[in-house]
Amino acid sequence: MPPEPNHHEDCCGEGVAPRVAEALARMKEKALRITSPRLTMLQILAESKIPLSAEQIHAQAGDGNLDLVTVYRSLGALDEAGIVQRHPLERGRSLYALVSQGHHHHHVICRRCGSIERLPGCDTSRLEAAARNKGYADLTHIMEIYGICPTCSAKTHD
Amino acid sequence: MPPEPNHHEDCCGEGVAPRVAEALARMKEKALRITSPRLTMLQILAESKIPLSAEQIHAQAGDGNLDLVTVYRSLGALDEAGIVQRHPLERGRSLYALVSQGHHHHHVICRRCGSIERLPGCDTSRLEAAARNKGYADLTHIMEIYGICPTCSAKTHD
DNA sequence: GTCCGTGCAAATCATTTGCACTTCT
DNA sequence: AGAAGTGCAAATGATTTGCACGGAC
């Protein structure tokens, strides 16, 4: 069974509406059009609070309301604009999450069940500074911590 | 043109032989069999010093010497054993690198040309500690910094 | 001798692309 | 009007799996 991240534990503690509003504002800045499929996606991403796969977004929109291809294309556009962040994981899958400025953080992902929890803060500034020193510009990063969650540890002993 | 990481700048400063030897020792510990395809792969990984894709390993082995599927399967086994580390990137591709214990570090990857450079050290201890506090065990992490390298910045202005 | 690893062919699966149509702005 | 976004069908491409054979221990 491929791990599917779908737990809804609280992960980030912010309102949904302001997160959507922030994303919309940044879309206008970047001259990205506000369309109904995109509004749906933003709403879903803002509600979820944890990274979601394109499939999950598509599913949560209710089948038939939103083409999977559109999800991918919009996520691509939003990713390029820095409005969502893509988290590539193993087996070619990716998760996507809204980027709330000033609330950057990372997650622990359970290797077995795929559950996700938020971790506070981010320690990459030193590494990013090093990269900048080497002349790299427009820096972003991905970072995921993997482990076995307490629930899974309890179930079976490896 | 899909970015292909293939620059051979020096990235880590260690001998090839000891790195292979270390990997072999750890394979014995884990009861993984030492075979000629695997020796070839270890040699290539140790020489390269920067993460490589399965395709690149296959190509460097010289076609016909090493089946691509074998490369994938061996990388999978070595990854599970913690002997190589898999770095998932965008577009479903992954790079693989030997894990030299005590020499853990990360890389900057150019989004445009795919070139890779080493960055010193790793700052994840605080985040891993936080994860451990939440009850997660057997922690690992992936982390990549992306940017536009100086060469690419010079070429075209976005 | 066993069991793990290999090679070949064929299958998956997430993601991407082509093209004609619709909708923001 | 005109460009950007959408939906559907079909293509891609990295990675995986089934199966019979060969080699490591």
Side-chain angles (χ1 to χ4, degrees):
Chain A
M1 43 131 213
E4 275 299 327
N6 44 26
H7 291 196
H8 272 252
E9 310 146 17
D10 63 16
C11 160
C12 320
E14 295 161 48
V16 170
R19 287 162 58 86
V20 173
E22 181 188 343
L24 289 174
R26 301 183 59 200
M27 285 176 73
K28 279 174 195 151
E29 273 175 35
K30 301 273 184 174
L32 291 173
R33 292 189 180 168
I34 318 282
T35 64
S36 124
R38 290 180 175 184
L39 277 170
T40 308
M41 291 177 55
L42 291 180
Q43 186 71 24
I44 291 172
L45 285 169
E47 278 169 358
S48 157
K49 295 170 188 163
I50 58 169
L52 296 176
S53 68
E55 291 267 17
Q56 290 178 309
I57 295 170
H58 178 241
Q60 285 188 34
D63 210 22
N65 296 328
L66 185 56
D67 193 278
L68 220 204
V69 175
T70 299
V71 175
Y72 278 111
R73 272 196 275 230
S74 294
L75 286 174
L78 292 168
D79 175 47
E80 267 191 41
I83 297 167
V84 309
Q85 163 127 38
R86 164 190 236 141
H87 301 265
L89 0 137
E90 308 193 347
R91 300 187 70 108
R93 296 181 309 162
S94 296
L95 303 182
Y96 304 83
L98 274 189
V99 175
S100 291
Q101 306 195 305
H103 290 86
H104 183 70
H105 59 261
H106 296 284
H107 303 88
V108 219
I109 304 178
C110 176
R111 264 191 225 98
R112 225 161 263 171
C113 70
S115 69
I116 296 189
E117 281 190 65
R118 177 189 185 175
L119 294 178
C122 171
D123 301 321
T124 55
S125 50
R126 203 187 53 75
L127 281 176
E128 291 207 345
R132 215 180 326 271
N133 275 345
K134 282 180 176 288
Y136 282 73
D138 196 11
L139 299 173
T140 59
H141 62 267
I142 61 164
M143 148 130 198
E144 307 295 347
I145 295 196
Y146 292 94
I148 307 294
C149 75
T151 312
C152 287
S153 297
K155 278 181 192 159
T156 19
H157 275 278
D158 205 342
Chain B
M1 41 126 217
E4 275 299 325
N6 44 25
H7 290 198
H8 273 252
E9 309 146 19
D10 62 16
C11 159
C12 319
E14 296 162 45
V16 171
R19 286 164 58 87
V20 173
E22 180 188 344
L24 290 174
R26 301 182 60 200
M27 286 176 73
K28 281 174 194 151
E29 274 175 34
K30 300 272 185 177
L32 290 174
R33 292 188 181 166
I34 317 285
T35 64
S36 124
R38 288 180 176 181
L39 277 170
T40 307
M41 292 176 56
L42 291 180
Q43 186 70 26
I44 291 171
L45 285 169
E47 277 169 359
S48 156
K49 296 172 189 161
I50 58 167
L52 296 176
S53 69
E55 292 268 14
Q56 290 176 309
I57 295 170
H58 178 242
Q60 285 188 33
D63 209 22
N65 295 327
L66 184 56
D67 193 279
L68 220 205
V69 176
T70 299
V71 174
Y72 278 112
R73 272 197 275 231
S74 294
L75 286 174
L78 293 169
D79 175 47
E80 268 192 41
I83 297 167
V84 309
Q85 163 127 39
R86 162 189 238 143
H87 301 266
L89 8 133
E90 308 191 348
R91 299 185 71 105
R93 295 181 310 162
S94 297
L95 303 181
Y96 304 84
L98 274 188
V99 174
S100 292
Q101 307 195 305
H103 290 85
H104 184 70
H105 59 261
H106 296 283
H107 302 88
V108 220
I109 304 178
C110 176
R111 267 191 224 98
R112 224 161 265 171
C113 70
S115 70
I116 295 190
E117 282 191 65
R118 177 189 183 172
L119 294 177
C122 171
D123 302 322
T124 55
S125 51
R126 202 187 54 75
L127 280 176
E128 291 207 345
R132 216 181 323 272
N133 275 345
K134 283 181 177 286
Y136 282 72
D138 196 11
L139 300 173
T140 59
H141 62 267
I142 61 168
M143 148 130 199
E144 307 295 347
I145 295 195
Y146 292 94
I148 307 294
C149 74
T151 312
C152 287
S153 297
K155 278 180 193 159
T156 20
H157 275 278
D158 203 343

